[in-house]
Amino acid sequence: MHLRKRVLVTGGAGFLGSFLCERLLEEECDVVCVDNFYTGTKRNIIHLLDNPYFELIRHDITFPLYLEVDEIYYLACPASPIHYQNDPVQTTKVNVHGSINMLGLAKRLKARILQASTSEVYGDPSIHPQTESYWGNVNCIGIRSCYDEGKRCAETLFFDYYRQHKLNIRVVRIFNTYGPRMHPNDGRVVSNFIIQALNNRDITVFGDGSQSRSFCYVDDMIDGMIRMMNGPDDFTGPVNIGNPNEFSILELAEKVIAKTGSSSKIVYHPLPEDDPLQRQPNIDLAKKQLGWEPKTQLEEGLRQTVEYFKKNF
Ligand SMILES: NC(=O)c1ccc[n+]([C@@H]2O[C@H](COP(=O)([O-])OP(=O)(O)OC[C@H]3O[C@@H](n4cnc5c(N)ncnc54)[C@H](O)[C@@H]3O)[C@@H](O)[C@H]2O)c1
């Protein structure tokens, strides 16, 4: 009899989590999705609810959770500044108490556990592109600190459980990812621009738009995360997963206007506090250790994302 791998996905009703649950079901896993619906929604996973190998649990992972699984993907955490700054103390709690709860669970079960960390651990970086060996430049008392320092502390906890308890950990540092099912109004740049363009409203660019970002399409990100989980036991990461192709925010705005055929105009607003001016992953390590690199370029990814927002909003 074929025994399905039992996989827990925390934050499984979110943007990335819902795609991850989908992929794991395709790979014949038995998936438990845990979410408190803080930023996630049932709509993201509604098409999975009939699948007998998919189970949904409403639970806040800052409280302990007892169940039996073989692997844990730890994605629970609001990801956009609007959401994580709405309740900054809770944001730190999700990353610190949540990590302790999930690492404790992994320890009891001897399960593999993967942390969805972030490029924000590099803060406003002084080197470009960022390699994993760079320690970062993070303000510990700013309005983004609940997220940036929360994620840094989560990485610390993962590595201490690894050293102290020999836990089988994996840490991926996720760079800007976009695609269908992004939250429609959480201020993230791709979804923001698309919604503004589809409604022919002004496109708001912060600063002069010359700050650059690299955008990874969701399918590539999920592929990287699964490869990392299934990768060699002696490769804990942290590993950067993202698309190194850089675009200025202004270029992105222009591409979105072109893709949507919108009559929107671009308007400029002041840059928010601690907003990094440049962010680009060096993905040599992921290429070497996981044989991973992104396949979907911005044009194609934007096309699919625009289609989704056209249908749904
Ligand atoms: N999308 C990106 O570009 C990006 C970049 C870097 C890191 N990440 C990380 O990837 C993960 C997923 O991000 P996303 O873009 O899918 O965000 P998202 O907000 O769509 O998903 C997060 C999910 O976690 C859930 N959640 C939040 N607090 C919880 C709690 N206490 N208990 C249970 N569930 C909780 C939310 O309801 C939501 O479903 C996050 O950890 C985020 O920090 C994402």
Side-chain angles (χ1 to χ4, degrees):
M1 193 180 67
H2 162 66
L3 280 183
R4 287 177 183 247
K5 196 160 60 178
R6 299 161 305 172
V7 186
L8 168 62
V9 180
T10 75
F15 160 50
L16 296 181
S18 61
F19 281 97
L20 180 60
C21 289
E22 225 169 77
R23 272 287 299 276
L24 292 168
L25 287 167
E26 277 163 25
E27 295 189 2
E28 305 208 325
C29 297
D30 189 335
V31 177
V32 183
C33 164
V34 168
D35 209 296
N36 68 348
F37 300 109
Y38 183 62
T39 50
T41 149
K42 279 194 186 151
R43 197 170 50 187
N44 286 342
I45 45 160
I46 203 151
H47 57 296
L48 306 178
L49 292 175
D50 284 342
N51 187 325
Y53 293 104
F54 181 76
E55 199 177 333
L56 172 64
I57 301 176
R58 183 191 287 262
H59 175 79
D60 179 337
I61 54 109
T62 60
F63 296 95
L65 177 69
Y66 300 97
L67 38 74
E68 313 301 311
V69 289
D70 306 304
E71 286 178 356
I72 303 171
Y73 286 86
Y74 179 27
L75 275 69
C77 177
S80 71
I82 288 182
H83 288 128
Y84 70 65
Q85 286 164 8
N86 178 48
D87 188 348
V89 173
Q90 171 69 6
T91 301
T92 303
K93 273 191 190 164
V94 179
N95 285 305
V96 179
H97 294 200
S99 290
I100 291 170
N101 288 332
M102 288 304 116
L103 287 161
L105 180 65
K107 182 179 159 212
R108 176 175 71 79
L109 300 172
K110 297 189 173 49
R112 284 185 188 187
I113 180 165
L114 178 144
Q115 158 69 346
S117 190
T118 170
S119 55
E120 303 291 335
V121 299
Y122 299 122
D124 191 2
S126 49
I127 63 156
H128 295 284
Q130 291 88 49
T131 52
E132 292 82 353
S133 57
Y134 177 57
W135 286 359
N137 174 30
V138 179
N139 174 4
C140 70
I141 56 167
I143 56 170
R144 300 171 73 105
S145 311
C146 56
Y147 184 76
D148 302 3
E149 295 289 15
K151 289 282 189 182
R152 286 169 69 92
C153 185
E155 286 200 16
T156 306
L157 283 163
F158 269 68
F159 277 86
D160 282 334
Y161 268 79
Y162 167 68
R163 284 183 287 258
Q164 201 174 328
H165 300 299
K166 310 283 174 277
L167 214 67
N168 197 338
I169 63 153
R170 314 284 149 115
V171 175
V172 293
R173 291 185 177 155
I174 298 175
F175 282 68
N176 228 331
T177 304
Y178 71 100
R181 299 191 205 138
M182 290 182 88
H183 202 286
N185 34 23
D186 66 0
R188 281 196 262 187
V189 66
V190 175
S191 45
N192 224 15
F193 284 0
I194 292 178
I195 299 252
Q196 288 170 333
L198 288 176
N199 292 301
N200 295 312
R201 290 202 311 262
D202 288 346
I203 295 208
T204 42
V205 166
F206 294 104
D208 62 4
S210 64
Q211 70 273 34
S212 71
R213 292 289 185 275
S214 54
F215 302 100
C216 184
Y217 189 62
V218 59
D219 287 354
D220 287 327
M221 180 56 59
I222 300 302
D223 186 43
M225 289 170 80
I226 290 179
R227 275 181 198 233
M228 183 59 178
M229 183 63 108
N230 297 335
D233 272 349
D234 59 358
F235 184 52
T236 57
V239 62
N240 291 337
I241 305 278
N243 190 327
N245 281 356
E246 262 193 309
F247 294 89
S248 74
I249 292 294
L250 197 55
E251 270 176 286
L252 176 70
E254 283 159 357
K255 276 187 193 300
V256 167
I257 290 176
K259 278 263 162 318
T260 49
S262 168
S263 60
S264 295
K265 283 193 279 303
I266 296 174
V267 297
Y268 296 88
H269 287 199
L271 264 186
E273 192 185 329
D274 291 342
D275 198 45
L277 288 179
Q278 195 182 11
R279 195 47 83 50
Q280 185 190 21
N282 173 316
I283 58 165
D284 291 352
L285 191 61
K287 277 188 189 160
K288 181 164 163 265
Q289 289 282 351
L290 309 172
W292 177 89
E293 61 183 315
K295 296 194 177 73
T296 315
Q297 292 313 330
L298 191 60
E299 291 290 331
E300 173 56 19
L302 273 183
R303 193 187 62 73
Q304 300 202 32
T305 313
V306 165
E307 274 313 300
Y308 167 83
F309 279 100
K310 257 191 197 157
K311 270 199 209 117
N312 291 281
F313 296 95

